[in-house]
Amino acid sequence: MSTAIEFEGVHKSFGQNAALVDAFFSAKWGEVHALLGENGAGKSTLMNIACGLYAPDKGTVKIDGETVIIDGPQSASGLGVGMIHQHFKLVENMTVLENIVLAHGTGSWRKSLQTVREQILNISDEIGFNIDPDALVNTLSVSEQQRTEIIKVLIGGAKILILDEPTAVLTDEESSGLLNQLQRFAKQGKCIILITHKLREVFSHATRVTVMRGGKTVDTGKAPIDLTPKQLSQLMVGEAPEITHITHSPPGEIVLELSKVAANRDNGLPALDNFDLKLCAGQVFGLAGVGGNGQTELAEILMGVRSMNSGEFHLNGKKLAKPSTKQLRGLGITCVPAERYVYGLAGDLSVMENCVITHLKSGQFGNFSWTNKRAIYKATRQAISKNEIHGAEPRTRARLLSGGNAQKLVLARELSGNAKFLLAHSPTRGLDVRACTAVHEALRESAQKGTAVLLLSEDLDEIFAISDRIGVINNGKIVGVFDAPADRREIGHLMVSNN
């Protein structure tokens, strides 16, 4: 197999922060090449150079053996490079169809709509995705938006297909279907580059693997069969602590109770229907489900950014009619949202402003007429060090952080207090092995302190790893609740069965 894309001696810095230092990488036609590394290792930065979003400060890029200059996304597309990003590149007030026509339409708008609609339906059927071409993007769940991005790049006809955590919001079945499809594309002669933190995907579907750490390439070209999971993990992050045993806690008093809750999606269709939920102090309640079954709307209700149509909302024994974000925060709710850049961070504010913004009312850093900036700076430095937020300084703009490190910042803030109730929605999406372990331990520690923790996740491994009780949501309803340990097959069946 000949080389499809190659990087030699690539350097890239953002201000004083070096993201890539003499990095190298090579992937061949006809293979699925896994690119691994810790958060901030430089994986996404390297691939963003390939797709034209960044220009290297130094080094060369070759495609099919020829040195190329990729000076933008159109240039990359013309060279046959397409990338599905971890954070979506979609226009939210346009439909799925319009987004894809905007990216790949040719000829008249009407003709493009007809052609692309057929392509969407054909590819959706081939991969097993169920996407409505006429649905507005802002009405889709996170997993549905991810599917749209995958379809968009496939329709673009990329020969070198780069996927950054493509299965992070997919179910086991969907992930398997997508990865099998990627293998078929590789066998057809395409080059597939898979950025992932899921080692099982590497061992089940990758041809070769490259590992990066600290902006440098530390190992490349080996077949996964020649490595053990432990060896690969050590190459990525060194020895990663693992939760080997969980002592399940008995339930405390009921902290949050939802009864017969109904709520709509943005398009007016039902999202939650007769939804009931009880969460107890001192326990992690894991809510499993396929994306698009009401999890997003549930999270938004608990964050105070979506109203219920009907039903009852009780927190700490108090009935709340139309709970606002301010009211819920005041009553002890903290949130780790799935969309960290939408609900979790103010991108144009500094790391230290984002780090303490929810704690200002407590008086810890002064009052509304005066803030102790020295104390804020010191607390932020401690949070950066303790939570290993790479690439961050107190005055760094939050939007400049990588996805994983932005999530670490949100987690550092939300887990720093003594919350009554903690909502964690896909808290480890896009994080590496060590960071995932740290998040899981933090959630367990929060529960052990008496917090009621609700974990919303489409990753069954995550649900089973830390939950005291497990519920299943399907079509906006709880269709089963189990004490841990539970039967994975039964839960998986409830997730996908028709109700």
Side-chain angles (χ1 to χ4, degrees):
M1 294 183 290
S2 61
T3 300
I5 186 168
E6 185 176 3
F7 295 83
E8 295 178 347
V10 174
H11 293 249
K12 181 65 182 177
S13 295
F14 298 95
Q16 298 299 315
N17 297 317
L20 296 172
V21 181
D22 198 26
F24 58 93
F25 175 84
S26 176
K28 298 178 179 181
W29 297 114
E31 73 171 352
V32 176
H33 196 118
L35 179 56
L36 307 181
E38 198 175 4
N39 291 317
K43 310 179 302 296
S44 295
T45 300
L46 191 65
M47 292 301 110
N48 279 330
I49 290 173
C51 71
L53 290 181
Y54 299 152
D57 299 330
K58 183 181 176 183
T60 59
V61 182
K62 294 182 179 180
I63 291 181
D64 232 355
E66 298 291 330
T67 300
V68 296
I69 296 175
I70 304 176
D71 55 9
Q74 284 189 328
S75 173
S77 181
L79 291 165
V81 180
M83 182 169 178
I84 299 164
H85 297 268
Q86 185 177 337
H87 299 287
F88 311 133
K89 311 294 182 183
L90 298 170
V91 182
E92 292 193 350
N93 62 351
M94 295 179 70
T95 66
V96 170
L97 177 59
E98 289 167 341
N99 267 277
I100 296 177
V101 169
L102 190 64
H104 302 301
T106 58
S108 69
W109 182 256
R110 179 173 295 180
K111 184 177 180 181
S112 290
L113 289 174
Q114 293 173 340
T115 301
V116 173
R117 181 188 296 276
E118 292 178 3
Q119 291 175 320
I120 292 172
L121 295 174
N122 289 339
I123 289 181
S124 296
D125 182 63
E126 183 179 2
I127 297 177
F129 288 172
N130 182 20
I131 291 291
D132 178 4
D134 298 311
L136 287 171
V137 167
N138 61 14
T139 68
L140 301 179
S141 69
V142 174
S143 64
E144 289 169 325
Q145 290 184 43
Q146 176 76 310
R147 296 170 199 169
T148 300
E149 286 281 23
I150 291 169
I151 292 170
K152 183 176 74 174
V153 174
L154 293 177
I155 286 177
K159 296 179 181 178
I160 300 171
L161 185 60
I162 305 164
L163 300 101
D164 192 351
E165 300 290 346
T167 63
V169 293
L170 303 181
T171 65
D172 290 351
E173 185 177 359
E174 290 168 335
S175 297
S176 179
L178 173 64
L179 292 168
N180 289 339
Q181 182 65 51
L182 295 177
Q183 281 189 325
R184 288 194 287 272
F185 288 154
K187 290 177 181 178
Q188 293 168 7
K190 290 182 171 64
C191 173
I192 309 298
I193 301 170
L194 181 65
I195 303 174
T196 181
H197 291 119
K198 298 180 179 179
L199 296 188
R200 65 178 181 273
E201 295 180 356
V202 177
F203 286 100
S204 63
H205 289 84
T207 311
R208 294 190 302 148
V209 60
T210 292
V211 181
M212 297 185 69
R213 186 167 64 240
K216 299 179 181 180
T217 305
V218 296
D219 200 283
T220 187
K222 289 182 179 176
I225 196 172
D226 295 328
L227 296 163
T228 66
K230 184 177 181 180
Q231 289 171 329
L232 198 50
S233 179
Q234 288 176 339
L235 282 171
M236 291 167 60
V237 296
E239 290 287 350
E242 297 181 0
I243 298 176
T244 56
H245 177 70
I246 291 177
T247 302
H248 294 290
S249 307
E253 63 181 8
I254 295 175
V255 174
L256 182 137
E257 183 173 5
L258 302 179
S259 178
K260 301 186 185 305
V261 169
N264 289 341
R265 303 178 189 272
D266 291 336
N267 61 6
L269 296 175
L272 297 175
D273 179 22
N274 204 33
F275 182 87
D276 296 319
L277 181 66
K278 289 183 181 180
L279 301 176
C280 296
Q283 287 194 325
V284 177
F285 187 101
L287 188 59
V290 177
N293 277 282
Q295 299 98 315
T296 297
E297 290 75 16
L298 172 61
E300 290 175 348
I301 289 171
L302 296 174
M303 290 189 292
V305 297
R306 182 178 294 272
S307 298
M308 303 180 297
N309 294 343
S310 59
E312 296 186 355
F313 188 129
H314 290 85
L315 182 63
N316 296 323
K318 181 178 181 180
K319 184 177 179 179
L320 306 178
K322 294 183 178 180
S324 65
T325 301
K326 181 178 180 180
Q327 184 182 20
L328 292 171
R329 282 276 180 181
L331 290 170
I333 281 187
T334 58
C335 304
V336 180
E339 289 297 310
R340 63 197 70 142
Y341 289 112
V342 177
Y343 296 120
L345 294 171
D348 286 329
L349 295 184
S350 67
V351 168
M352 70 179 189
E353 288 168 326
N354 276 281
C355 192
V356 303
I357 193 168
T358 60
H359 302 299
L360 292 176
K361 193 175 180 180
S362 68
Q364 179 182 355
F365 300 105
N367 53 45
F368 286 107
S369 61
W370 174 81
T371 55
N372 188 338
K373 292 185 179 179
R374 181 174 295 180
I376 291 173
Y377 187 90
K378 181 179 179 181
T380 304
R381 294 288 302 179
Q382 291 173 342
I384 290 171
S385 176
K386 179 182 177 181
N387 295 277
E388 298 184 356
I389 306 174
H390 300 300
E393 294 291 337
R395 293 186 174 87
T396 302
R397 298 292 179 193
R399 59 181 167 80
L400 297 179
L401 298 179
S402 69
N405 287 299
Q407 185 74 323
K408 289 180 183 179
L409 175 58
V410 175
L411 286 157
R413 182 187 66 217
E414 298 300 304
L415 296 175
S416 61
N418 295 314
K420 297 289 186 182
F421 167 72
L422 171 64
L423 166 67
H425 190 183
S426 301
T428 61
R429 181 158 64 97
L431 300 188
D432 57 60
V433 175
R434 184 167 62 182
C436 288
T437 301
V439 171
H440 291 164
E441 289 179 340
L443 295 178
R444 289 298 311 173
E445 288 172 7
S446 186
Q448 288 165 7
K449 293 176 182 177
T451 302
V453 179
L454 175 60
L455 171 63
L456 302 181
S457 179
E458 294 162 33
D459 185 343
L460 272 183
D461 291 337
E462 181 168 62
I463 292 286
F464 278 87
I466 64 170
S467 299
D468 297 292
R469 302 200 80 204
I470 299 172
V472 182
I473 185 170
N474 192 329
N475 280 331
K477 298 178 181 178
I478 296 286
V479 294
V481 178
F482 307 84
D483 289 322
D487 188 320
R488 185 185 183 105
R489 289 175 297 180
E490 185 175 1
I491 287 176
H493 174 72
L494 288 174
M495 287 171 58
V496 299
S497 61
N498 296 321
N499 294 284

